[in-house]
Amino acid sequence: MENPKEIVAKSALRYITSGDVVGLGTGTTASEFIKALGASPLSKEVTCVPTSLETESLAKRVGLNLVSLNSVERIDITVDGADEVDNNKNLLKGGGGALTREKIVAHYSKRYVIVITEEKLVENLGSRMPIPIEVLPFSYVQIIRELNQMGLSCQLRKNFTTDNGNYIIDCKPNQKVLKGSLQDLNKAIKLLPGVVETGIFINFNPEILYHK
């Protein structure tokens, strides 16, 4: 039997049309979409932009035509997963460590489709999963200290380096931060020197597909 991630990933195929430039997300559910796209008749009729080296490797194995973001004028649609989705369709991403490239590809996409299973739906981002933050290795200790002072309990992700050569800090917000302004939190984190990007995706207005 198909698992829920396979089912919801396959449902996103109906949004793909011949000639599309397709952004390919990173993570377990996004991987199911990549495999489904590779097995479909559309596989030879689309061009794909991967968001990570892991995604690139999988997409090559299933026979998809890959190009870099810098070589295309547009991305028609990106299909990706998420670690959490709140009631306002804000996303928490970065469990797989590709948050910066995922956010860039999402920004340049005309259409953004998120495929998830029902347990990823939350009231507040950061309630189930930590908030990932990509940082320069040069100053990660100082950044962790400042994030802790902001009400985030933070740990360096062990034995992990992003495709950009950076570190990931995983942060659990306290109750005050959890109930506060997501926009203000994201802005405050990004103002810290050495922070590359956060896993908080605001105002992308994605189309959410989920399986119960």
Side-chain angles (χ1 to χ4, degrees):
M1 289 180 62
E2 290 181 314
N3 66 42
K5 290 183 178 182
E6 290 174 343
I7 294 169
V8 71
K10 285 181 178 179
S11 73
L13 288 175
R14 68 180 185 269
Y15 293 95
I16 310 300
T17 59
S18 179
D20 277 351
V21 177
V22 182
L24 302 177
T26 296
T28 54
T29 311
S31 293
E32 294 298 338
F33 170 76
I34 293 166
K35 289 185 280 189
L37 182 59
S40 79
L42 287 165
S43 62
K44 305 302 181 185
E45 300 174 9
V46 297
T47 304
C48 301
V49 176
T51 54
S52 67
L53 297 178
E54 178 185 345
T55 290
E56 180 180 337
S57 177
L58 173 60
K60 284 180 178 177
R61 291 201 304 272
V62 300
L64 295 174
N65 178 36
L66 300 182
V67 295
S68 71
L69 177 61
N70 290 322
S71 68
V72 298
E73 294 183 2
R74 72 192 192 285
I75 298 177
D76 295 296
I77 181 171
T78 289
V79 178
D80 204 348
D83 299 314
E84 293 181 349
V85 179
D86 72 12
N87 296 331
N88 296 314
K89 299 200 289 188
N90 298 312
L91 313 174
L92 186 65
K93 293 178 52 55
L99 56 98
T100 299
R101 297 191 186 192
E102 288 174 327
K103 191 172 282 190
I104 292 169
V105 168
H107 176 77
Y108 291 108
S109 299
K110 294 180 180 178
R111 196 171 187 182
Y112 192 35
V113 176
I114 294 296
V115 287
I116 58 169
T117 46
E118 190 176 30
E119 75 275 4
K120 304 293 181 71
L121 299 172
V122 298
E123 184 175 348
N124 300 108
L125 296 190
S127 58
R128 291 179 62 255
M129 301 288 291
I131 299 169
I133 302 168
E134 183 167 351
V135 303
L136 298 179
F138 178 74
S139 57
Y140 78 92
V141 172
Q142 285 74 21
I143 293 171
I144 288 175
R145 188 178 298 121
E146 292 214 49
L147 292 170
N148 286 335
Q149 292 171 357
M150 291 167 54
L152 298 164
S153 177
C154 300
Q155 288 189 334
L156 180 69
R157 190 174 296 184
K158 299 293 186 182
N159 303 314
F160 184 85
T161 304
T162 72
D163 291 345
N164 307 315
N166 298 318
Y167 291 164
I168 294 287
I169 298 171
D170 292 309
C171 303
K172 288 293 292 183
N174 63 26
Q175 282 301 307
K176 182 179 178 181
V177 174
L178 192 67
K179 301 294 185 181
S181 166
L182 199 57
Q183 199 128 13
D184 290 348
L185 174 63
N186 190 56
K187 182 178 180 180
I189 295 171
K190 293 188 71 170
L191 284 174
L192 295 176
V195 169
V196 177
E197 192 52 86
T198 79
I200 300 170
F201 284 50
I202 302 173
N203 299 326
F204 281 91
N205 195 32
E207 298 171 63
I208 308 296
L209 303 181
Y210 70 93
H211 186 276
K212 296 184 178 181

